[in-house]
Amino acid sequence: MNIPRRSFLRSSLLLGSGALLTTLTARAAAAEPPATETDFWGVIRSRRSVRKFRPDPVPDAEIEKMVAAAATAPSSGGQRPWKFLVVRDRARIDAMREACVRRALARYDQGGGKPEGRAEAETGFRNRIGGYFTAPAFIVVLTDNQSRYPSYAHWDGPLAAGYLLLAARALGYGTVFITDSIPDEVTREVLRIPDRYTRVCITPVGVPVEWPAPHADGQAGDFVAYESL
Amino acid sequence: MNIPRRSFLRSSLLLGSGALLTTLTARAAAAEPPATETDFWGVIRSRRSVRKFRPDPVPDAEIEKMVAAAATAPSSGGQRPWKFLVVRDRARIDAMREACVRRALARYDQGGGKPEGRAEAETGFRNRIGGYFTAPAFIVVLTDNQSRYPSYAHWDGPLAAGYLLLAARALGYGTVFITDSIPDEVTREVLRIPDRYTRVCITPVGVPVEWPAPHADGQAGDFVAYESL
């Protein structure tokens, strides 16, 4: 699973420069996306937000496993109000990106941005969001407003989305829970999502170019309170 | 992890009544709480809502592991707005139960319930909610309204709560994501939760008297849509 980079670094310091080349080779190997992860705590630790992807496709079978895992999440009165819209059509993924850029430029113009700075602003924005759109797949997590208890879906939606992200990590895929960076209106318009559905989030799904460092172990400290706040 | 009850049953059918006693013994053993579970997919499959608990205490170290796992959940802009209030004081747990009963009886009276049916209504209600309060511990999942992006906490809260439930299952504890059954007002009043916090849910935490059957594998069917809805 997660590559013990620090141990590589430490061994290079201990062994001196003679070992450095070997160590660099080992570190290059360490940058390879880690294999699938079946240890529960390993999945928890190494599930990080990923923002740049390799083009390797995400097969149906893997998508189904992620969605099936998401659909084991608890829901209010067992209503399971979820829908997972999978997008792998490159033209539609690119269309989402371009719609994001158009909205950013509209904001630039409305905010009184100078015409001579517009190209640079566009480049900056494309750089900021470009990594997401290197993903070969996206999943839009939705809840159905016609579910049995629609006013409870605001709990059910994120619960299932969270399980989806973990399952994706277990299978070797990176994700990131996106709200504002790809606005609701963009997904709704480009993917023609009916008003019947409320979007929880959208996430790219793909093999990471590099996994971020795993979470440190056991950081309960400030989050936990015993008996009273 | 989960006990293959069907296989016990099948073997008793195959072997005839001579094997039945052995099978019943095996099934009694099967009702024992399963061990901890470290396989990711095993945790996903066997995390079920649990509503009746053994009195075995939940040590601090296990609580910390659950909360630490919850705190690896993604949050908006990394704000991590969470607070996990742990309650193991029996008097406070009982006080929550009694506050729930009082509210139910007040509703009974306000709804024009007849005085002669009141005792029966109370017994029915106590039976309905009693199992939750057999738990040796409760965790109230909260978000802090003074976090950086409070209007995004409605996503962050359930994400962390969902991870907490999985981690509890991995450690051998049952949970259930409760909203209405133990009303917000009850926890706020009994546990003196400041207005500063928004409650996501409350969950009992304890060793289940019995684990519900695990989720079936691979139920993505109706939940997934490819390219369009």
Side-chain angles (χ1 to χ4, degrees), chain A residues 38 40 47 64 72 74 82-84 86 88-89 92 152 155 158-159 162-163 180 200 220 222-223 225-227, chain B residues 38 40 47 64 72 74 83-84 86 88-89 92 152 155 158-159 162-163 180 200 220 222-223 225-227:
Chain A
T38 56
F40 173 74
R47 198 278 330 144
E64 301 269 326
T72 70
W82 311 297
K83 200 65 111 177
F84 301 86
V86 179
R88 289 177 296 190
D89 174 358
R92 290 153 71 84
Y152 290 73
W155 283 301
L159 281 164
Y163 287 19
D180 292 356
V200 178
D222 284 351
F223 298 114
Y226 290 96
E227 299 303 336
Chain B
T38 56
F40 173 75
R47 199 277 331 145
E64 302 271 326
T72 69
K83 200 63 112 174
F84 301 87
V86 180
R88 289 176 297 190
D89 174 358
R92 290 152 71 83
Y152 290 74
W155 283 301
L159 281 165
Y163 287 18
D180 292 356
V200 178
D222 284 351
F223 297 113
Y226 290 96
E227 299 303 334

Side-chain angles (χ1 to χ4, degrees), chain B residues 143-205:
Chain B
T143 55
D144 186 344
N145 303 333
Q146 293 175 23
S147 67
R148 259 180 298 155
Y149 314 107
S151 67
Y152 290 74
H154 68 94
W155 283 301
D156 305 337
L159 281 165
Y163 287 18
L164 183 84
L165 305 185
L166 289 175
R169 170 61 195 94
L171 294 167
Y173 297 104
T175 55
V176 51
F177 189 104
I178 293 176
T179 56
D180 292 356
S181 295
I182 304 177
D184 190 9
E185 296 74 16
V186 163
T187 44
R188 208 165 278 283
E189 178 190 303
V190 175
L191 307 177
R192 304 196 185 290
I193 296 172
D195 291 343
R196 170 173 173 172
Y197 297 98
T198 297
R199 193 184 79 166
V200 178
C201 69
I202 178 169
T203 178
V205 180

